[in-house]
Amino acid sequence: MIEELKTFITVVDKKSFTKAANAINISQPSVSLHISNLENYFKTRLIERSNKQRTIFITAEGEILYKRAKQIISFLDETKEELLNYDGSPCGTLKLGASMTIGEFLLPSMLGEFIKEFPNIKLEVTIENTEHIYEKFKNYDIDIALIEGTVPVENYIYNNFYKDTMVIVAPFSSTYKEAIDLKSYLSKQTWIHREKGSGTGENLNIFLNSHGISPKNLITLGSNYSIKEAVKNNLGITFISSLVVDDAVKNNELKIIPLKTEYYRYFSYIVHDKNLSKAAELFLKKLHEKFQ
């Protein structure tokens, strides 16, 4: 059954019987037999095939099994590693996903400390925007997701771990004075915006909408670094984490526009359930120690 589940996962990932056979180095008839065995066992259709099997479609039942199969295989792999190293230091593989600001500015130092303390734990780290990290988390490609945007409420554990300050930054040459009407000034500016699915972009939208600000123009860029550089080079202003711009402000490359109210957001982690691997438990403990 374990091999059949692994084959099924590969077929779904590759969206092809032929590609799956090549990936796991077995014959295509063997792939078909594995899928047939699973369908007979679960008494349901998992994959719909075209006449020539060139195109496949995963059924709703197949989607459920795909997620469960990934959980089962991951749990078995973790258990095997723990048993093989029962008398030694903590081990296993931990799959982390982090949204961009967290991955760029908080995670590196923490991972350095974590690896030093637990050298036998292998890390697989993915850094993308919040939406993409959440999709990987839902598909069980990630054990722990560290996110900065909001995600749908589902059956998982969700906790905040860091309070982040958001600021408006402009080029250092900006002539803004506090005597100027702020709303009028901000509405006349070009705003540098993160792409859809970004937690930073989500917070910018919330800020603009809550203050009734209609930007003169919007420029969308795909990373914190590119936004910072765009503002430095007089392309516009932005609303962004202070983590991204602190050094540039200290070096007189950017200027923070003062606001009457301080703005914060929370970085959060999500995990699937309470039955975490030892590696995941150790990571979350380290996360709390460092940031709370």
Side-chain angles (χ1 to χ4, degrees), residues 6 45-46 262 292:
K6 289 181 177 179
R45 194 74 163 171
L46 301 172
E262 291 186 324
Q292 293 186 348

Coordinates of all heavy atoms in Angstrom, one line a residue, residues 6 45-46 262 292:
K6 N 2.7 6.2 -2.8 CA 3.8 7.0 -3.4 C 3.7 7.2 -4.9 O 3.9 8.3 -5.4 CB 5.2 6.4 -3.1 CG 5.6 6.4 -1.6 CD 7.0 5.8 -1.4 CE 7.5 5.9 0.0 NZ 8.8 5.2 0.2
R45 N -13.4 6.1 -7.7 CA -12.5 6.5 -8.8 C -11.6 7.7 -8.3 O -12.1 8.6 -7.7 CB -13.4 7.0 -9.9 CG -12.7 7.2 -11.3 CD -12.4 5.8 -11.9 NE -12.1 6.0 -13.3 CZ -11.7 5.0 -14.1 NH1 -11.4 3.8 -13.5 NH2 -11.4 5.2 -15.3
L46 N -10.3 7.5 -8.5 CA -9.4 8.5 -8.0 C -8.9 9.4 -9.2 O -8.7 10.6 -9.0 CB -8.2 7.9 -7.4 CG -8.5 7.0 -6.2 CD1 -7.2 6.3 -5.7 CD2 -9.0 7.9 -5.0
E262 N 0.5 54.8 14.9 CA 1.5 53.8 14.5 C 0.7 52.6 14.0 O -0.4 52.2 14.5 CB 2.3 53.4 15.7 CG 3.3 54.5 16.2 CD 4.2 54.0 17.3 OE1 3.8 53.2 18.1 OE2 5.4 54.4 17.3
Q292 N 9.4 36.1 21.5 CA 8.4 36.4 22.4 C 9.0 36.5 23.8 O 10.1 36.0 24.1 CB 7.2 35.4 22.4 CG 6.5 35.4 21.1 CD 5.3 34.5 21.1 OE1 5.1 33.7 21.9 NE2 4.4 34.7 20.1

